[in-house]
Amino acid sequence: MRLRSVLCSAASALSALALLSACSGGSSTATPGDGKPLVGVDYPRSDTDFWYAYITYTPEYAKRYGLSLRTTNSQNDVAKLAANTQTLILQGAKGIAMAPQSTFAIAPILAQLRAAKIPVVTIDTRPDTGRVYMVVRADNRAYGEKACKYLGTKLGGKGKVVMLEGDLASVNGRDRTEGFNDCMKRNYPGIKVFGETTDWDGAVAAQKLQTDLTAHPDIKGVYMQSSLALSGTLQVLRQEGLLVGPKDRRHVFVVSNDGIPRELENISEGHIDATVSQPADLYAKYALYYLKAAIDGKTFKPGRTDHHSTIVRIRDGLLEDQLSAPLVTVDGGTYGGVPSLKSTDPSLWGHSLG
């Protein structure tokens, strides 16, 4: 029912987009007054620290690459994304970057943009079907594996952990979940994992963590697939008398995901133990880099890049630039073979916005 509802809610917007494409002859001809190529960036949401950082960095990199910028915000709604796409085309966008959070529902939007010969770069997520010029994200399976190896090491391969999953309609939620579960089964079979779907909702995550701790007070680890769950997790642990330092036997080891300033502060304070720093700054940078490249007619192949990442072929017609996303801990140690950076490392983007 959810899939049907999402697709139906986008139908009218997509129909209008198809009409617009037909009427425009498959191209956008408007030129901004400054003479710079016009690109559109749709923000998926603005109510989280991570996406606030991405929004902050985007105009900076548009200026650096000599692009004129128009932005919209789809608020995690595929129908709004379709409508915003129409707006950007009408404004003359010669390329569009987007970060669709429901990756199964955007194929019709991508098909219409492809018909209009407008290149698309997706950030943070990749579409389940359809083609785009480039996907810019990190290896999300590796996010789950890094969290697994940190917790597996700290728990000595035994005990119980809760994984606060994102949304399994998103490739990120699926990748992080599969990476964590596969790593646990392969390396730490003595650890019991309670997987809880949260739909990227912090309140839902807190409620499910509370339920699990009530039923299993011996839980010793939590993996949050997003910093959206940070505040609620800390509140629940505080209420249960478990928000104590890592040397206290009551301590519950917590691994987060994003690398926002509050996570880095909480690692230094001993409230949480680790995070995976998802590169908000580089997402903005390479979203605009690849849009400019698309406008200039450049093409790319799988392999190492000049910015210390790897482009991989996901399927025919879909390349993904997998950027670095380091594990961050208080001591910068190596856990289960995974090296980490200290939470105080000045190279972390979270410090530039702290």
Side-chain angles (χ1 to χ4, degrees):
M1 290 300 293
R2 181 182 179 193
L3 172 59
R4 181 179 180 183
S5 174
V6 169
L7 293 176
C8 288
S9 67
S12 59
L14 288 169
S15 297
L17 179 56
L19 178 60
L20 177 61
S21 175
C23 293
S24 66
S27 65
S28 57
T29 58
T31 302
D34 58 11
K36 299 177 181 178
L38 177 65
V39 298
V41 176
D42 182 81
Y43 303 134
R45 57 197 303 169
S46 57
D47 59 342
T48 73
D49 291 348
F50 179 82
W51 287 113
Y52 172 79
Y54 173 73
I55 290 168
T56 300
Y57 285 118
T58 297
E60 171 188 337
Y61 287 110
K63 183 178 181 180
R64 178 178 300 190
Y65 291 116
L67 300 169
S68 185
L69 180 66
R70 298 288 186 275
T71 63
T72 56
N73 191 323
S74 56
Q75 299 176 329
N76 207 19
D77 185 321
V78 70
K80 289 181 180 178
L81 177 57
N84 290 347
T85 300
Q86 297 176 57
T87 298
L88 294 171
I89 294 176
L90 285 169
Q91 292 176 341
K94 298 182 181 298
I96 295 176
M98 60 179 68
Q101 300 301 287
S102 293
T103 55
F104 64 90
I106 63 164
I109 299 174
L110 297 180
Q112 296 296 344
L113 287 168
R114 184 174 175 82
K117 298 181 180 178
I118 296 175
V120 176
V121 174
T122 64
I123 309 305
D124 180 53
T125 65
R126 65 168 177 258
D128 291 353
T129 60
R131 296 187 178 189
V132 299
Y133 179 80
M134 184 66 73
V135 176
V136 177
R137 66 195 289 258
D139 183 346
N140 278 243
R141 280 189 63 91
Y143 291 0
E145 291 170 359
K146 291 173 182 179
C148 158
K149 290 185 176 180
Y150 182 86
L151 290 174
T153 299
K154 285 295 185 178
L155 272 61
K158 298 179 181 179
K160 299 176 182 178
V161 301
V162 177
M163 173 167 52
L164 298 174
E165 301 167 356
D167 185 343
L168 298 185
S170 161
V171 66
N172 287 353
R174 295 196 299 272
D175 279 359
R176 295 174 198 183
T177 297
E178 291 170 2
F180 188 83
N181 282 335
D182 289 349
C183 170
M184 280 293 182
K185 291 177 182 177
R186 183 172 61 252
N187 298 291
Y188 310 105
I191 293 179
K192 170 69 174 177
V193 178
F194 300 98
E196 301 289 2
T197 302
T198 71
D199 298 326
W200 307 120
D201 187 314
V204 173
Q207 182 271 317
K208 291 191 174 182
L209 176 59
Q210 179 70 72
T211 299
D212 284 336
L213 283 170
T214 299
H216 305 278
D218 55 343
I219 284 171
K220 299 301 292 181
V222 178
Y223 169 39
M224 305 182 298
Q225 289 188 3
S226 168
S227 59
L228 277 164
L230 178 62
S231 294
T233 294
L234 293 177
Q235 181 179 359
V236 169
L237 293 177
R238 184 177 292 109
Q239 289 173 348
E240 296 296 315
L242 300 174
L243 194 62
V244 294
K247 293 183 179 180
D248 192 304
R249 62 179 181 81
R250 295 171 295 163
H251 182 73
V252 175
F253 290 94
V254 178
V255 181
S256 189
N257 197 112
D258 278 339
I260 63 173
R262 288 188 300 133
E263 288 175 320
L264 303 183
E265 293 167 5
N266 275 285
I267 291 172
S268 296
E269 294 167 356
H271 294 156
I272 69 172
D273 302 274
T275 189
V276 178
S277 181
Q278 186 169 217
D281 56 339
L282 299 185
Y283 281 3
K285 178 178 182 177
Y286 289 104
L288 279 302
Y289 169 85
Y290 283 115
L291 284 182
K292 180 65 163 58
I295 292 169
D296 291 344
K298 296 181 179 179
T299 58
F300 296 88
K301 296 180 180 180
R304 291 292 295 173
T305 71
D306 60 2
H307 49 271
H308 310 292
S309 66
T310 302
I311 295 176
V312 299
R313 187 182 304 279
I314 301 302
R315 57 177 182 269
D316 185 40
L318 193 68
L319 296 177
E320 178 172 300
D321 188 354
Q322 296 188 338
L323 304 176
S324 175
L327 179 68
V328 180
T329 63
V330 71
D331 61 359
T334 297
Y335 295 89
V338 177
S340 69
L341 296 179
K342 287 186 177 181
S343 57
T344 54
D345 191 309
S347 70
L348 294 168
W349 69 264
H351 288 305
S352 67
L353 295 176

